[in-house]
Amino acid sequence: MNKKFFMDYLPEDLLKMGIEPKFRTKQLYNWIYRKYEEDFEKMNNLPKNLRKKLKEEFVINPFELINKEISNDATEKFLFKLNDNHTVETVLIKMKDERIENGKKKEAKWTVCVSTQVGCKVGCAFCLTAKGGFVRNLSPAEIVAQVWFMKKEKNFDENKALNIVYMGMGEPLDNYDNIVKAIKIIENQDGLNISPRRQTLSTSGIAPKIKKLGKENLGINLAISLHAVDDKLREELIPLNKAYNIQSVIDAIKEFPIDKRKKVMFEYLVIKNKNDDISAAKKLVKLLNSIPSKVNLIYFNPYPGSPYERPDEETMKKFQKYLLDKGITCTIRESKGMDISAACGQLREKEIGKRDEK
Ligand code: SAH
Ligand code: SF4
């Protein structure tokens, strides 16, 4: 019998599967997501026969770590092998070091960049993940376990809240049901207990799915990969723009419930001589004027054979200054982990390349 992956299930699913009463599912969530226990046998407050049944039916860890790289800025990149031998990557980024603020000791801040698919269907012209085409969706367990593994690996305290960005490989809204389920499992208070307010979903702009997600009222943050302000260029960069143009994406965002203290994040990949001039910045300001927004400028990160070039720092700063002067919050994404090819998709490509050489 093929075993099931425990992390695919919410407590209510487990109850329906005959794992009851409710406090048992709570105990299980505690063991797995808070104590990072991988062996049912060791869950010593569960009856022996239940432990045996669970062990026969379920697997806890759905994948195997096969490569890890640490950059000199403390960004860590993990490559996992799934049970069908496909690979997927997760990036752990240290956003802030341990520090003293107002006389108080503050813990380091970490963000996990989570993948949602093996490959991607969207086929963006600048993206390495797109080059390998689409392979398959990740299951809820394979999404949840990326976060669980980071907490376990770093031995983080069970109450340590990480930030999660669904910005790894894949288009999360093309794997709609599984991503929604994963968000709920990660949120569960008896488990990882990471609030949706700390979870950000990034999409290339599948307008109807943005609307649908909005109606779920999950409380998550939304990031939109905009990258261009006119439809012609956006179509070149993101083919999906033919189906859902810029205006349709903006209209969908307007229906998305946004926490009063929060903003929608617009990611703008800056490519040399393509979308980096001030006239683009001007259009961007106009486009965003009806949405509480912040802009994240990203340096295009070249890879062998990539069709575009990285912009220089001065151009980035000028673009940023224009937005700031117009009152739009605008950050430049530091290229974390440049030395370990941390732009999503790049570690996996390297690994596949290595295998091809053998
Ligand atoms: N599919 C979703 C989420 C994953 S892509 C989306 O497109 O939003 C996550 C991010 O990786 C995107 O913001 C994209 O701009 C960025 N990215 C892809 N290729 C890149 C490259 N070559 N250099 C820098 N960022 C890149
Ligand atoms: Fe897919 Fe996002 Fe890459 Fe586009 S940028 S191909 S949507 S992963």
Side-chain angles (χ1 to χ4, degrees), residues 120-124 126-130 168-171 204 225 227 238:
C120 184
K121 283 182 202 166
V122 180
C124 299
F126 51 82
C127 174
L128 200 52
T129 300
M169 298 163 56
E171 167 51 54
S204 55
S225 289
H227 309 331
I238 312 174

Side-chain angles (χ1 to χ4, degrees), residues 24-86:
R24 289 282 177 233
T25 61
K26 194 171 165 162
Q27 285 173 319
L28 275 163
Y29 256 57
N30 260 284
W31 276 112
I32 293 168
Y33 293 116
R34 303 187 72 81
K35 299 196 173 76
Y36 319 129
E37 183 53 68
E38 280 181 69
D39 184 357
F40 290 112
E41 296 281 5
K42 294 194 180 137
M43 303 183 181
N44 55 19
N45 56 358
L46 301 182
K48 274 228 163 76
N49 58 349
L50 178 63
R51 280 187 250 168
K52 189 164 167 275
K53 175 181 147 78
L54 289 165
K55 198 168 179 152
E56 279 164 8
E57 283 184 29
F58 290 97
V59 174
I60 294 175
N61 186 348
F63 45 47
E64 184 195 333
L65 180 67
I66 55 166
N67 192 7
K68 179 176 159 182
E69 293 185 10
I70 304 180
S71 83
N72 44 26
D73 64 12
T75 298
E76 299 178 36
K77 196 153 184 168
F78 300 79
L79 190 72
F80 296 109
K81 188 166 90 180
L82 308 172
N83 69 337
D84 55 5
N85 290 331
H86 289 303

Side-chain angles (χ1 to χ4, degrees), residues 49-280:
N49 58 349
L50 178 63
R51 280 187 250 168
K52 189 164 167 275
K53 175 181 147 78
L54 289 165
K55 198 168 179 152
E56 279 164 8
E57 283 184 29
F58 290 97
V59 174
I60 294 175
N61 186 348
F63 45 47
E64 184 195 333
L65 180 67
I66 55 166
N67 192 7
K68 179 176 159 182
E69 293 185 10
I70 304 180
S71 83
N72 44 26
D73 64 12
T75 298
E76 299 178 36
K77 196 153 184 168
F78 300 79
L79 190 72
F80 296 109
K81 188 166 90 180
L82 308 172
N83 69 337
D84 55 5
N85 290 331
H86 289 303
T87 51
V88 79
E89 62 187 42
T90 310
V91 184
L92 182 67
I93 307 156
K94 199 187 220 182
M95 302 302 280
K96 271 189 186 170
D97 272 321
E98 221 180 47
R99 65 215 175 274
I100 308 283
E101 265 176 32
N102 304 326
K104 274 193 198 140
K105 198 174 156 199
K106 295 256 180 162
E107 289 178 12
K109 274 193 181 177
W110 297 87
T111 295
V112 193
C113 181
V114 172
S115 292
T116 55
Q117 297 179 314
V118 183
C120 184
K121 283 182 202 166
V122 180
C124 299
F126 51 82
C127 174
L128 200 52
T129 300
K131 270 183 59 180
F134 174 70
V135 180
R136 72 164 171 89
N137 282 328
L138 294 187
S139 64
E142 289 162 341
I143 298 171
V144 172
Q146 293 176 59
V147 180
W148 168 80
F149 193 96
M150 294 305 127
K151 287 196 81 171
K152 181 168 83 96
E153 165 86 7
K154 302 295 282 184
N155 210 4
F156 284 136
D157 182 85
E158 58 181 66
N159 293 315
K160 169 97 183 150
L162 308 176
N163 292 312
I164 299 173
V165 292
Y166 298 102
M167 288 183 190
M169 298 163 56
E171 167 51 54
L173 295 185
D174 256 344
N175 185 12
Y176 189 90
D177 292 342
N178 291 351
I179 188 71
V180 168
K181 183 116 185 209
I183 291 166
K184 289 179 180 167
I185 295 172
I186 291 171
E187 175 189 4
N188 189 282
Q189 293 182 353
D190 298 321
L192 290 166
N193 192 19
I194 299 177
S195 156
R197 314 237 166 265
R198 289 184 177 272
Q199 303 188 43
T200 302
L201 183 144
S202 172
T203 176
S204 55
I206 307 178
K209 299 267 181 71
I210 295 173
K211 286 188 192 173
K212 187 172 172 196
L213 186 71
K215 292 201 182 94
E216 312 252 2
N217 258 315
L218 297 173
I220 57 162
N221 307 304
L222 188 63
I224 303 288
S225 289
L226 190 64
H227 309 331
V229 286
D230 63 77
D231 281 315
K232 197 161 158 275
L233 177 60
R234 197 162 187 272
E235 263 171 37
E236 175 191 324
L237 300 176
I238 312 174
L240 187 93
N241 195 73
K242 287 189 195 95
Y244 309 114
N245 66 13
I246 296 174
Q247 193 53 50
S248 74
V249 176
I250 297 285
D251 292 344
I253 299 167
K254 283 184 186 157
E255 290 181 25
F256 195 90
I258 300 153
D259 191 302
K260 278 195 194 66
R261 293 157 299 175
K262 294 266 166 106
K263 291 174 171 161
V264 177
M265 190 211 277
F266 287 87
E267 293 159 280
Y268 192 90
L269 183 76
V270 185
I271 303 172
K272 188 172 177 174
N273 296 335
K274 272 278 178 192
N275 61 358
D276 59 352
D277 53 308
I278 290 302
S279 68

Side-chain angles (χ1 to χ4, degrees), residues 299 311-321 332:
Y299 280 99
D312 51 58
E313 201 182 327
E314 201 192 322
T315 313
M316 283 295 256
K317 291 251 163 80
K318 256 169 75 183
F319 201 104
Q320 181 191 33
K321 185 170 184 306
I332 296 178

